Each structure stands twice: as structure tokens, then as C-alpha cells.
């Protein structure tokens, strides 16, 4: 049945400022777009949008969708503004928790604390004797209590793993702070989640994402919830009927080859297989991003390489053997350099593009090498107000020219999509758009961090529409309002291009439409 959507301002994103009065959808596609007078007699039903503003469906270019659902369903530590408040949150949450079971939480960030204190095992021991693991906001470090260390066999005599760090006190005893591979040693002890648990987390996440105007995401979840079949089954069962929502699944290197050997199936077009996901390094928050020269505030530290060069070489060769691209997490410049070394050695198959995730710190020579390759970039605008001003002290002023350099990367012609890295950051795309425009929090009034890298409103919206669609090879069917494109659109109560810039994150989402069907309606 043809449906006429009208009485709104439809931003097509085909070119800056172009709008239409109405459009018609049929069988999940846009079949006509133009003026209401021309289209009003061509559909069997009509939906009045009451003067709202319509954009191509927003896409989050990088997140962990199941992890976001877990965050919504358990204690969120990101609101703590001091170590004392964090302890109070944990004490309250643990009050009714079954004794002996694993207690997990995430989101804490010592940079938000006035005392900058990171809790120790001894602080957590006062709350419970049950095993406890609390991930830092970056997910590249965690603090655990003594019971968790005991279960993991981590003692004073345990050496640091090659891919991680066990923080120690002046006597050599583990403090409870574990980074990268050391943290994974404890995570491996957690009970494997059931399909029912993962499905509930996914349902919770999708419902929330639809409510903030998202119609799809690029997500990294395979390889984290026991056997890959657990999260994949959840995706295939949850998406496509009651919940129409589009997911592009990155496939973790640890399960990538097995997915092919098992001839795993995907409930397309709602669940689509993507690139092999590879981690090169950590994050700036835990000083584990891999740098070509030491941190400005830690002269003995250049960060952490998650993989050896031999392992990286092996994984990329495996991806190429199956005719696939790779998606590589890289925060530090040395991580980007090592990734470039390997993908230059093993070119991506024709018609595909490798995905560079975060590219937070680069150098001019690296950008020149990147420009010669078929790659797309996942950038996270909300990292800027989250990481500044402390990240300048961590890196030093001499490295800021190619730090968080979204404007220059776009000017160089790179295909860029905007993401949140949720649950690391809030997945609300309006927050990301605001951050890309202002490079600060809505509550701040300064000119923004590294203000020369500010994007225009149109460029910022493109990150979450046409840009994000292009990173998954869907630039001809998603990311714009045009005939033949998927009928995915986000309906807002106010105009992103006209309201006061600091009001953008507060614009209400009125409706979210996927494949021509109403998946979220604020009035219901």
C-alpha cells in the first residue's frame, strides 16, 4: 500500500538546504518525493506529520548494541562525580544482590572525580566478598576486588601479560586495576550469558535507540557473549518482525573464520555481516592507546599493543582469504601506522573498503598513506567533550594538530561516519551532531576544543546519514531521501538547521520510521 507522508519539512540531504513537502513510501522504499499538491492523490493512506522536520534515518556508525542494552539494565557508574559517590552507588546496588554471584558494572571515569582517585581492590572488598569487576568507561581497563583476583590466579608473582598491565602498589601487590589483556583474564571467568539474556539486552537497546531517532547501527558484538551463536541467534530472532532495525555486524577476529566454516546465516536485511573486527590498542583514558613516542605525562609509557605484528598479519591474511575487509580499532598513531603497514601489504578485495575505527591521533605522513587506500573512517564526535581538557596534558600540545581532526579528514575526501561507541558514550545522535558542530558540552560556553576542527551543521548531520550509509556501501540506498532509497527516516519536533546550537540535543524525537513502518511514535 502506498503511504503519503506530508505536512513536514523533508531534508533530502541530496544537497545542502534541499527540502521537499511530502514523500510516498511503498514496500519499504521511497517511491516519490516532491510537493504535497503533486503527490496528494497518489497514495491510499496518508500520515500528517503536523509540521515536524524529517531527515534520512540516523545511523550510528560504531557501537556495541548488546553492551548498550546491558548498560541500560544494570548499575550505570558513569554518573559518579567522585570516588566517594562511586562507592555509595556500588553499596546501594549491591544491597539486594545475591551473595556469591559476580557483580559487574561499567562507566566509571576518574577524570570526572575531583580527587582523580581510582578505586582499589581494598575499597571494593569493603562492599562485598563476592567477585566484582567494574569496567572503566573506555572498556580498556577495569578495577576488581580481591576475590576476583583470587579466582583469576593473579598475585604479586603473576607477570604482566604481553597485551596488558597489572597495576601494582609500592610493594608489588596488585591494586585491582587491570588493563587490556589483564582485564580479559578476569572477564573470562564470568558465566556465559544465555540466549534469553542477550535477547533481552538487545531488545532493551533497540527500543531505546529507536526512541532517540536511530534506524540502524554498525555494531561489534560477535565474540563477546560466549559462543558466537548466542549473540547471532539473538540478532536473527529479535530483528525484522516486531522490531525493524538495521544492523551491520562486525565479526571479531576470534570468531570470524568459524562463522564462515559453519556457514552462519544472517536475517538480512536487518542483520548483515560486515568486516573482520581487529583491536590494535587501547584508549587514552587508561593510557593504553599505542603511541609512537611516550605520553607527555608518563615518560615511560607508549601504551599497549593488543596484538603482535605477526598476529595482525595473520588475521588480515585470513580476512583476505575469505574476500573480506577489516575493521581496525586504532586510537594512537603507532596503532594506525602498524595497521597501515599490513593493509598496504595485503590490499582489500576489489569493491570493498577497510574500516579504520576512531583514528583519534594521526600524523601527516599517516594521513597521506591513508588517502591512497580504499578505506572509510568511523569517528566519534562525543569523544571530544569527554576527553578534553585532560587529554591535552596526556598527549602534549605538539601532537594536537592531527588529534580528533574531523574537519581536516573530511576536507581530504575521506568517507566519514559518526558513531557513539555506546555504551562508552551516549548513543543519542543529536549529542553527536552537537559535539561535531561545537566541540564542547551543551552546558559549556567556550569556543570549543581545537575549534578549527568544527563541522558545519550540514556536515555534522551528514556524518549520521549519508556518510554513515557510505561506510557500509549503502550510499545508493540509504542516508538520503530519494526515490528508490530505503524508507528510513527520523522525524524531529524542531529543525536542526535553525534552532540555537545548544538546543540541538534537546530536540524531541517525534517518530522513527524504518522501511516505511512506524517503529517509534512519541505520541503512543
Amino acid at each position: 500500500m502506498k503511504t503519503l507522508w506530508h505536512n513536514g519539512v523533508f531534508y533530502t540531504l541530496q544537497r545542502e538546504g534541499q527540502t521537499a513537502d511530502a514523500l510516498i513510501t511503498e514496500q519499504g522504499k521511497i517511491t516519490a518525493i516532491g510537493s504535497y499538491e503533486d503527490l496528494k492523490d497518489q497514495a491510499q493512506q496518508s500520515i500528517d506529520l503536523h509540521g515536524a522536520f524529517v531527515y534520512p534515518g540516523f545511523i550510528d556508525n560504531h557501537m556495541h548494541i548488546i553492551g548498550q542494552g546491558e548498560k541500560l539494565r544494570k548499575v550505570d557508574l558513569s554518573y559518579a562525580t567522585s570516588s566517594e559517590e562511586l562507592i555509595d552507588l556500588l553499596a546501594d546496588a549491591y544491597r539486594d544482590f545475591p551473595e556469591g554471584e559476580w557483580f559487574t558494572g561499567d562507566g566509571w571515569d576518574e577524570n570526572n572525580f575531583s580527587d582523580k582517585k581510582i578505586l582499589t581492590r581494598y575499597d571494593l572488598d569493603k562492599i562485598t566478598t563476592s567477585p566484582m569487576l567494574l569496567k572503566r568507561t573506555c572498556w580498556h581497563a577495569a578495577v576488581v576486588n580481591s576475590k576476583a583476583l583470587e579466582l583469576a590466579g593473579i598475585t604479586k608473582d603473576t607477570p604482566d601479560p604481553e597485551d596488558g598491565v597489572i597495576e601494582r602498589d609500592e610493594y608489588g601487590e596488585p591494586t585491582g586495576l587491570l588493563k587490556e589483556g589483564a582485564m580479559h583474564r578476569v572477564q573470562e571467568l564470568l558465566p556465559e550469558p544465555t540466549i534469553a539474556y542477550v535477547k533481552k539486552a538487545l531488545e532493551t537497546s533497540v527500543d531505546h535507540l529507536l526512541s532517540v531517532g536511530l534506524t540502524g547501527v554498525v555494531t561489534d558484538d560477535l565474540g563477546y557473549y560466549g559462543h558466537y551463536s548466542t549473540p547471532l541467534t539473538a540478532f536473527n530472532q529479535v530483528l525484522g518482525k516486531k522490531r525493524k532495525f538495521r544492523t551491520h555486524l562486525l565479526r571479531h577476529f576470534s570468531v570470524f573464520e568459524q562463522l564462515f566454516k559453519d556457514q552462519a546465516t544472517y536475517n538480512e536485511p536487518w542483520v548483515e555481516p560486515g568486516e573482520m573486527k581487529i583491536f590494535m590498542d587501547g584508549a587514552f583514558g587508561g593510557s593504553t592507546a599505542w603511541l609512537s613516542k611516550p605520553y607527555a605525562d608518563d615518560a615511560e609509557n607508549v601504551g599497549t599493543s593488543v596484538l603482535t605484528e605477526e598476529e595482525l598479519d595473520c588475521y588480515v591474511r585470513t580476512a583476505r582469504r575469505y574476500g573480506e575487509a577489516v575493521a581496525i580499532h586504532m586510537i594512537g598513531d603507532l596503532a594506525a601506522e602498524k595497521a597501515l603497514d599490513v593493509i598496504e601489504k595485503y590490499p582489500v578485495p576489489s569493491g570493498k573498503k577497510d574500516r579504520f575505527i576512531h583514528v583519534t591521533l594521526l600524523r601527516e605522513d599517516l594521513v597521506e598513506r591513508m588517502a591512497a587506500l580504499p578505506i572509510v573512517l568511523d569517528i566519534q564526535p562525543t569523544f571530544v567533550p569527554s576527553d578534553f581538557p585532560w587529554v591535552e596534558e596526556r598527549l602534549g600540545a605538539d601532537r594536537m594538530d592531527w588529534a580528533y581532526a574531523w574537519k581536516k579528514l573530511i576536507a581530504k575526501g575521506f568517507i566519514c561516519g559518526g558513531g557513539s561507541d555506546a555504551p562508552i558514550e551516549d548513543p543519542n545522535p543529536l549529542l553527536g551532531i552537537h559535539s561535531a558542530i561545537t566541540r564542547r558540552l551543551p552546558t559549556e560556553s567556550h569556543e570549543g576544543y581545537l575549534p578549527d576542527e568544527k563541522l558545519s551543521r550540514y556536515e555534522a548531520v551528514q556524518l549520521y546519514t549519508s556518510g554513515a550509509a557510505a561506510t557500509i556501501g549503502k550510499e545508493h540506498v540509504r542516508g538520503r531521501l530519494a526515490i528508490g532509497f530505503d524508507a528510513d527516516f527520523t522525524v524531529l519536533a524542531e529543525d536542526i538547521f535553525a534552532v540555537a546550537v545548544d538546543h540541538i540535543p534537546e530536540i524531541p524525537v517525534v517518530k522513527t520510521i524504518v522501511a516505511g513502518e512506524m517503529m517509534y511514535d512519541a505520541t503512543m
Side-chain angles (χ1 to χ4, degrees):
M1 180 184 293
K2 292 184 177 180
T3 301
L4 173 68
W5 304 79
H6 67 97
N7 193 15
V9 177
F10 295 77
Y11 281 101
T12 68
L13 268 289
Q14 296 186 54
R15 65 174 182 267
E16 188 168 1
Q18 185 183 67
T19 62
D21 296 334
L23 58 75
I24 292 175
T25 61
E26 183 180 18
Q27 295 183 346
K29 296 288 185 179
I30 297 172
T31 58
I33 186 166
S35 72
Y36 174 70
E37 288 300 319
D38 290 341
L39 301 180
K40 64 181 181 180
D41 297 323
Q42 298 182 28
Q44 288 77 47
Q45 67 174 354
S46 66
I47 296 178
D48 187 336
L49 295 175
H50 303 287
F53 298 84
V54 185
Y55 306 83
F58 292 151
I59 302 167
D60 188 302
N61 213 49
H62 182 71
M63 69 155 49
H64 308 268
I65 191 171
I66 295 173
Q68 173 64 13
E70 290 183 293
K71 181 178 181 178
L72 293 170
R73 291 176 55 78
K74 64 185 181 183
V75 58
D76 182 0
L77 307 179
S78 63
Y79 296 106
T81 58
S82 68
S83 56
E84 293 84 358
E85 185 178 356
L86 178 56
I87 290 172
D88 289 343
L89 279 173
L90 293 169
D92 288 343
Y94 201 84
R95 187 171 292 116
D96 299 318
F97 198 81
E99 192 68 26
E101 292 188 14
W102 275 88
F103 181 92
T104 61
D106 57 55
W108 61 269
D109 184 354
E110 78 283 1
N111 291 302
N112 295 332
F113 302 167
S114 56
D115 57 7
K116 307 296 182 185
K117 178 184 176 181
I118 296 175
L119 298 187
T120 68
R121 61 192 284 193
Y122 308 111
D123 295 315
L124 302 187
D125 290 346
K126 295 175 183 177
I127 297 170
T128 178
T129 56
S130 295
M132 180 181 284
L133 181 145
L134 309 175
K135 289 184 187 177
R136 192 183 181 279
T137 182
C138 62
W139 277 26
H140 290 271
V143 62
V144 303
N145 66 356
S146 295
K147 186 63 177 180
L149 290 173
E150 175 190 331
L151 293 173
I154 297 175
T155 70
K156 180 178 181 179
D157 299 321
T158 304
D160 287 355
E162 290 185 1
D163 60 345
V165 175
I166 301 169
E167 289 289 336
R168 306 168 193 273
D169 61 22
E170 63 269 32
Y171 304 107
E173 293 287 349
T175 65
L177 179 62
L178 306 175
K179 298 180 179 181
E180 304 298 346
M183 174 185 70
H184 300 155
R185 183 165 174 173
V186 176
Q187 284 183 289
E188 290 172 352
L189 301 175
L190 297 175
E192 285 197 3
T194 63
I195 291 176
Y197 170 88
V198 175
K199 283 178 65 176
K200 190 63 179 177
L202 181 58
E203 290 167 352
T204 300
S205 188
V206 170
D207 290 347
H208 174 68
L209 299 176
L210 288 166
S211 76
V212 297
L214 286 166
T215 60
V217 299
V218 178
T219 185
D220 175 24
D221 303 270
L222 302 184
Y224 304 101
Y225 298 92
H227 192 271
Y228 78 77
S229 61
T230 297
L232 184 56
T233 297
F235 277 104
N236 286 337
Q237 292 182 0
V238 168
L239 303 179
K241 294 180 180 179
K242 178 182 176 182
R243 292 176 177 84
K244 285 184 167 53
F245 190 80
R246 304 186 192 275
T247 56
H248 179 91
L249 301 188
L250 301 182
R251 292 173 283 185
H252 194 273
F253 66 81
S254 64
V255 301
F256 179 87
E257 193 166 18
Q258 195 62 47
L259 285 160
F260 278 91
K261 289 180 178 179
D262 293 347
Q263 298 183 326
T265 58
Y266 306 85
N267 185 24
E268 301 186 70
W270 316 111
V271 183
E272 296 180 336
E275 306 90 321
M276 175 195 278
K277 174 64 183 294
I278 299 171
F279 281 90
M280 282 300 299
D281 64 347
F284 291 138
S287 298
T288 56
W290 199 16
L291 307 182
S292 57
K293 60 181 183 179
Y295 283 86
D297 61 352
D298 186 355
E300 302 299 319
N301 180 30
V302 294
T304 303
S305 170
V306 174
L307 299 176
T308 66
E309 293 181 38
E310 293 74 21
E311 287 172 330
L312 176 63
D313 188 283
C314 176
Y315 292 135
V316 174
R317 279 191 288 113
T318 298
R320 302 312 195 220
R321 189 166 67 248
Y322 287 95
E324 288 295 337
V326 293
I328 307 178
H329 166 114
M330 54 184 78
I331 296 284
D333 62 325
L334 189 54
E337 179 180 330
K338 296 299 183 181
L340 282 167
D341 289 344
V342 177
I343 68 168
E344 287 171 344
K345 184 178 177 182
Y346 304 110
V348 69
S350 177
K352 298 203 172 185
K353 293 181 174 66
D354 289 321
R355 178 181 297 269
F356 282 14
I357 301 171
H358 306 313
V359 289
T360 317
L361 180 66
L362 295 169
R363 305 188 308 261
E364 184 74 40
D365 63 300
L366 300 178
V367 175
E368 291 177 4
R369 291 170 66 185
M370 289 162 56
L373 297 169
I375 62 172
V376 299
L377 307 181
D378 285 354
I379 62 175
Q380 289 68 46
T382 51
F383 278 11
V384 175
S386 289
D387 292 358
F388 283 82
W390 59 263
V391 76
E392 292 183 277
E393 297 178 3
R394 192 150 295 176
L395 295 178
D398 60 323
R399 280 190 274 215
M400 287 294 106
D401 190 45
W402 278 103
Y404 307 79
W406 320 142
K407 186 78 169 182
K408 286 199 287 287
L409 290 170
I410 290 173
K412 289 278 188 181
F414 288 104
I415 296 171
C416 296
S420 62
D421 204 13
I424 309 305
E425 301 286 346
D426 191 316
N428 183 346
L430 295 176
L431 283 170
I433 289 169
H434 176 271
S435 295
I437 297 166
T438 67
R439 297 179 69 88
R440 57 172 173 76
L441 294 171
T443 54
E444 296 174 325
S445 58
H446 56 79
E447 64 175 351
Y449 300 107
L450 306 178
D452 289 346
E453 296 298 330
K454 290 180 182 179
L455 302 188
S456 70
R457 296 195 192 204
Y458 186 69
E459 289 170 329
V461 172
Q462 282 184 308
L463 288 180
Y464 295 86
T465 53
S466 57
T471 72
I472 56 174
K474 301 292 185 181
E475 62 269 33
H476 302 301
V477 293
R478 291 180 204 154
R480 294 182 173 88
L481 301 182
I483 293 172
F485 276 55
D486 290 331
D488 300 350
F489 36 98
T490 302
V491 184
L492 303 180
E494 299 170 84
D495 188 353
I496 292 174
F497 299 112
V499 300
V501 69
D502 288 332
H503 182 66
I504 289 174
E506 300 174 6
I507 297 176
V509 176
V510 178
K511 303 179 192 300
T512 305
I513 291 87
V514 183
E517 295 188 33
M518 199 94 67
M519 289 293 105
Y520 171 77
D521 187 345
T523 66
M524 299 179 65

